[in-house]
Amino acid sequence: MNSILEQYKSVPESEVKEWFKAAPVSKFPENGGACVKVNDKQIAVFNFTAEGKWYASQNVCPHKMEMVLSRGMIGEDCGTPKIACPLHKKTFSLETGENLNGEDYSIAVFPVKVEDGFVYIGTR
């Protein structure tokens, strides 16, 4: 179980070695997420249209170990953009990956950029 989580480590934008071309902007739902396979990892990409921002995180929920975060609901908690797992409603910061419920597990987050109508995910 932990071997899956060990594959996912947050990537600060300053450490990006490659920008993975995920898909055209039109393939992502407004104010929602979609899953993209980057090498051997599933990455959830979120088009937070209400805020005019994009986010990416691991798709695996660290609590239930299911690939479901891309199907969760996005929103805000005291100004922090968040994703709620559709299985148990645990919430995570889309900026830092921090568990907003105060529990000790978190998610990996990745930088996102949009250029020429395409979404790119920062990887190492």
Side-chain angles (χ1 to χ4, degrees):
M1 188 156 56
N2 283 340
S3 64
I4 293 172
L5 291 178
E6 289 169 3
Q7 295 177 41
Y8 295 93
K9 303 288 183 213
S10 291
V11 177
E13 192 162 355
S14 62
E15 294 180 19
V16 170
K17 291 197 172 30
E18 177 186 353
W19 287 97
F20 178 84
K21 189 175 186 179
V25 168
S26 61
K27 296 294 182 183
F28 296 91
E30 292 187 3
N31 294 306
C35 182
V36 175
K37 190 159 186 183
V38 179
N39 301 317
D40 60 343
K41 297 177 187 72
Q42 288 191 32
I43 305 297
V45 178
F46 302 98
N47 178 2
F48 204 152
T49 315
E51 299 293 324
K53 296 184 180 176
W54 289 80
Y55 300 96
S57 73
Q58 67 188 47
N59 194 36
V60 65
C61 168
H63 177 246
K64 294 290 187 181
M65 299 304 295
E66 298 287 341
M67 298 289 184
V68 296
L69 291 182
S70 63
R71 293 183 274 159
M73 291 182 64
I74 60 174
E76 245 184 64
D77 183 8
C78 298
T80 299
K82 66 178 182 176
I83 180 65
C85 176
L87 296 179
H88 56 64
K89 308 301 183 238
K90 301 287 185 192
T91 57
F92 303 92
S93 166
L94 287 171
E95 293 176 326
T96 66
E98 173 190 7
N99 184 314
L100 299 175
N101 303 101
E103 295 167 88
D104 63 353
Y105 49 87
S106 59
I107 60 172
V109 293
F110 306 89
V112 178
K113 69 178 181 178
V114 176
E115 287 183 353
D116 299 321
F118 283 87
V119 177
Y120 294 83
I121 303 166
T123 64
R124 284 194 187 123

